mmCIF file of all heavy atoms in Angstrom:
data_model
loop_
_atom_site.group_PDB
_atom_site.id
_atom_site.type_symbol
_atom_site.label_atom_id
_atom_site.label_comp_id
_atom_site.label_asym_id
_atom_site.label_seq_id
_atom_site.Cartn_x
_atom_site.Cartn_y
_atom_site.Cartn_z
ATOM 1 N N VAL F 1646 -75.215 -42.430 -14.700
ATOM 2 C CA VAL F 1646 -76.380 -42.849 -13.911
ATOM 3 C C VAL F 1646 -77.343 -41.695 -13.619
ATOM 4 O O VAL F 1646 -78.460 -41.932 -13.163
ATOM 5 C CB VAL F 1646 -75.949 -43.545 -12.597
ATOM 6 C CG1 VAL F 1646 -75.255 -44.871 -12.921
ATOM 7 C CG2 VAL F 1646 -75.051 -42.653 -11.757
ATOM 8 N N ALA F 1647 -76.923 -40.461 -13.856
ATOM 9 C CA ALA F 1647 -77.832 -39.309 -13.729
ATOM 10 C C ALA F 1647 -77.224 -38.158 -14.505
ATOM 11 O O ALA F 1647 -76.003 -38.021 -14.576
ATOM 12 C CB ALA F 1647 -78.011 -38.911 -12.269
ATOM 13 N N GLU F 1648 -78.091 -37.352 -15.130
ATOM 14 C CA GLU F 1648 -77.626 -36.166 -15.875
ATOM 15 C C GLU F 1648 -78.402 -34.981 -15.339
ATOM 16 O O GLU F 1648 -79.590 -34.836 -15.628
ATOM 17 C CB GLU F 1648 -77.934 -36.327 -17.365
ATOM 18 C CG GLU F 1648 -76.815 -36.944 -18.159
ATOM 19 C CD GLU F 1648 -77.056 -36.860 -19.664
ATOM 20 O OE1 GLU F 1648 -78.199 -37.100 -20.093
ATOM 21 O OE2 GLU F 1648 -76.101 -36.567 -20.385
ATOM 22 N N LEU F 1649 -77.746 -34.128 -14.558
ATOM 23 C CA LEU F 1649 -78.446 -33.044 -13.879
ATOM 24 C C LEU F 1649 -77.944 -31.687 -14.350
ATOM 25 O O LEU F 1649 -76.749 -31.514 -14.623
ATOM 26 C CB LEU F 1649 -78.242 -33.176 -12.369
ATOM 27 C CG LEU F 1649 -78.642 -34.546 -11.780
ATOM 28 C CD1 LEU F 1649 -78.187 -34.668 -10.341
ATOM 29 C CD2 LEU F 1649 -80.150 -34.758 -11.884
ATOM 30 N N LYS F 1650 -78.893 -30.729 -14.420
ATOM 31 C CA LYS F 1650 -78.546 -29.354 -14.806
ATOM 32 C C LYS F 1650 -78.997 -28.415 -13.693
ATOM 33 O O LYS F 1650 -80.144 -28.452 -13.263
ATOM 34 C CB LYS F 1650 -79.264 -28.977 -16.107
ATOM 35 C CG LYS F 1650 -78.723 -29.703 -17.335
ATOM 36 C CD LYS F 1650 -79.463 -29.221 -18.576
ATOM 37 C CE LYS F 1650 -78.760 -29.538 -19.872
ATOM 38 N NZ LYS F 1650 -78.579 -30.964 -20.128
ATOM 39 N N ILE F 1651 -78.075 -27.542 -13.275
ATOM 40 C CA ILE F 1651 -78.357 -26.629 -12.159
ATOM 41 C C ILE F 1651 -78.505 -25.215 -12.722
ATOM 42 O O ILE F 1651 -77.713 -24.819 -13.585
ATOM 43 C CB ILE F 1651 -77.168 -26.588 -11.166
ATOM 44 C CG1 ILE F 1651 -76.495 -27.950 -11.069
ATOM 45 C CG2 ILE F 1651 -77.583 -26.058 -9.816
ATOM 46 C CD1 ILE F 1651 -75.031 -27.861 -10.758
ATOM 47 N N PRO F 1652 -79.479 -24.447 -12.217
ATOM 48 C CA PRO F 1652 -79.584 -23.060 -12.702
ATOM 49 C C PRO F 1652 -78.253 -22.313 -12.534
ATOM 50 O O PRO F 1652 -77.539 -22.535 -11.549
ATOM 51 C CB PRO F 1652 -80.654 -22.450 -11.803
ATOM 52 C CG PRO F 1652 -81.418 -23.597 -11.248
ATOM 53 C CD PRO F 1652 -80.470 -24.759 -11.185
ATOM 54 N N LEU F 1653 -77.963 -21.445 -13.497
ATOM 55 C CA LEU F 1653 -76.687 -20.709 -13.464
ATOM 56 C C LEU F 1653 -76.689 -19.639 -12.367
ATOM 57 O O LEU F 1653 -75.693 -19.459 -11.664
ATOM 58 C CB LEU F 1653 -76.455 -20.059 -14.838
ATOM 59 C CG LEU F 1653 -75.238 -19.165 -14.978
ATOM 60 C CD1 LEU F 1653 -73.947 -19.937 -14.754
ATOM 61 C CD2 LEU F 1653 -75.210 -18.509 -16.364
ATOM 62 N N ALA F 1654 -77.824 -18.939 -12.228
ATOM 63 C CA ALA F 1654 -77.862 -17.817 -11.283
ATOM 64 C C ALA F 1654 -78.185 -18.310 -9.869
ATOM 65 O O ALA F 1654 -79.117 -19.094 -9.677
ATOM 66 C CB ALA F 1654 -78.908 -16.803 -11.737
ATOM 67 N N ASN F 1655 -77.401 -17.858 -8.913
ATOM 68 C CA ASN F 1655 -77.599 -18.160 -7.485
ATOM 69 C C ASN F 1655 -77.986 -19.611 -7.205
ATOM 70 O O ASN F 1655 -79.039 -19.888 -6.640
ATOM 71 C CB ASN F 1655 -78.697 -17.248 -6.903
ATOM 72 C CG ASN F 1655 -78.417 -15.798 -7.214
ATOM 73 O OD1 ASN F 1655 -77.291 -15.331 -7.020
ATOM 74 N ND2 ASN F 1655 -79.401 -15.088 -7.729
ATOM 75 N N PRO F 1656 -77.176 -20.557 -7.604
ATOM 76 C CA PRO F 1656 -77.588 -21.960 -7.485
ATOM 77 C C PRO F 1656 -77.609 -22.468 -6.048
ATOM 78 O O PRO F 1656 -76.755 -22.115 -5.240
ATOM 79 C CB PRO F 1656 -76.507 -22.693 -8.278
ATOM 80 C CG PRO F 1656 -75.320 -21.800 -8.218
ATOM 81 C CD PRO F 1656 -75.839 -20.400 -8.178
ATOM 82 N N ASP F 1657 -78.629 -23.280 -5.744
ATOM 83 C CA ASP F 1657 -78.645 -24.060 -4.510
ATOM 84 C C ASP F 1657 -78.349 -25.493 -4.929
ATOM 85 O O ASP F 1657 -79.173 -26.156 -5.571
ATOM 86 C CB ASP F 1657 -80.020 -23.957 -3.847
ATOM 87 C CG ASP F 1657 -80.107 -24.868 -2.609
ATOM 88 O OD1 ASP F 1657 -79.046 -25.385 -2.184
ATOM 89 O OD2 ASP F 1657 -81.217 -25.058 -2.099
ATOM 90 N N PHE F 1658 -77.151 -25.964 -4.599
ATOM 91 C CA PHE F 1658 -76.725 -27.274 -5.088
ATOM 92 C C PHE F 1658 -77.372 -28.434 -4.329
ATOM 93 O O PHE F 1658 -77.389 -29.563 -4.814
ATOM 94 C CB PHE F 1658 -75.196 -27.400 -5.002
ATOM 95 C CG PHE F 1658 -74.464 -26.423 -5.880
ATOM 96 C CD1 PHE F 1658 -73.779 -25.338 -5.336
ATOM 97 C CD2 PHE F 1658 -74.457 -26.572 -7.256
ATOM 98 C CE1 PHE F 1658 -73.114 -24.433 -6.148
ATOM 99 C CE2 PHE F 1658 -73.798 -25.679 -8.082
ATOM 100 C CZ PHE F 1658 -73.122 -24.596 -7.521
ATOM 101 N N ALA F 1659 -77.891 -28.151 -3.109
ATOM 102 C CA ALA F 1659 -78.312 -29.240 -2.219
ATOM 103 C C ALA F 1659 -79.274 -30.246 -2.862
ATOM 104 O O ALA F 1659 -79.007 -31.449 -2.818
ATOM 105 C CB ALA F 1659 -78.896 -28.656 -0.935
ATOM 106 N N PRO F 1660 -80.394 -29.805 -3.469
ATOM 107 C CA PRO F 1660 -81.317 -30.805 -4.027
ATOM 108 C C PRO F 1660 -80.687 -31.629 -5.166
ATOM 109 O O PRO F 1660 -81.013 -32.801 -5.328
ATOM 110 C CB PRO F 1660 -82.497 -29.978 -4.547
ATOM 111 C CG PRO F 1660 -82.051 -28.561 -4.547
ATOM 112 C CD PRO F 1660 -80.925 -28.438 -3.589
ATOM 113 N N PHE F 1661 -79.785 -31.011 -5.909
ATOM 114 C CA PHE F 1661 -79.138 -31.722 -7.017
ATOM 115 C C PHE F 1661 -78.115 -32.727 -6.478
ATOM 116 O O PHE F 1661 -77.963 -33.824 -7.010
ATOM 117 C CB PHE F 1661 -78.472 -30.725 -7.968
ATOM 118 C CG PHE F 1661 -79.470 -29.813 -8.621
ATOM 119 C CD1 PHE F 1661 -79.785 -28.584 -8.070
ATOM 120 C CD2 PHE F 1661 -80.141 -30.209 -9.774
ATOM 121 C CE1 PHE F 1661 -80.737 -27.750 -8.655
ATOM 122 C CE2 PHE F 1661 -81.088 -29.396 -10.366
ATOM 123 C CZ PHE F 1661 -81.390 -28.160 -9.805
ATOM 124 N N LEU F 1662 -77.440 -32.336 -5.406
ATOM 125 C CA LEU F 1662 -76.488 -33.266 -4.782
ATOM 126 C C LEU F 1662 -77.234 -34.480 -4.230
ATOM 127 O O LEU F 1662 -76.746 -35.607 -4.308
ATOM 128 C CB LEU F 1662 -75.710 -32.553 -3.674
ATOM 129 C CG LEU F 1662 -74.623 -31.604 -4.187
ATOM 130 C CD1 LEU F 1662 -74.105 -30.709 -3.065
ATOM 131 C CD2 LEU F 1662 -73.473 -32.380 -4.822
ATOM 132 N N GLN F 1663 -78.435 -34.235 -3.692
ATOM 133 C CA GLN F 1663 -79.238 -35.350 -3.166
ATOM 134 C C GLN F 1663 -79.620 -36.316 -4.290
ATOM 135 O O GLN F 1663 -79.485 -37.533 -4.160
ATOM 136 C CB GLN F 1663 -80.491 -34.818 -2.462
ATOM 137 C CG GLN F 1663 -81.261 -35.891 -1.707
ATOM 138 C CD GLN F 1663 -80.376 -36.607 -0.670
ATOM 139 O OE1 GLN F 1663 -79.694 -35.966 0.124
ATOM 140 N NE2 GLN F 1663 -80.347 -37.939 -0.719
ATOM 141 N N ARG F 1664 -80.060 -35.741 -5.403
ATOM 142 C CA ARG F 1664 -80.448 -36.598 -6.546
ATOM 143 C C ARG F 1664 -79.246 -37.350 -7.100
ATOM 144 O O ARG F 1664 -79.345 -38.522 -7.474
ATOM 145 C CB ARG F 1664 -81.099 -35.751 -7.633
ATOM 146 C CG ARG F 1664 -82.562 -35.428 -7.287
ATOM 147 C CD ARG F 1664 -83.107 -34.312 -8.137
ATOM 148 N NE ARG F 1664 -83.194 -34.667 -9.547
ATOM 149 C CZ ARG F 1664 -83.464 -33.777 -10.505
ATOM 150 N NH1 ARG F 1664 -83.657 -32.501 -10.196
ATOM 151 N NH2 ARG F 1664 -83.542 -34.153 -11.751
#
Side-chain angles (χ1 to χ4, degrees):
V1646 293
E1648 268 190 318
L1649 305 170
K1650 289 182 163 62
I1651 325 150
L1653 176 62
N1655 308 313
D1657 175 11
F1658 296 108
F1661 297 93
L1662 284 167
Q1663 189 57 49
R1664 281 165 65 190

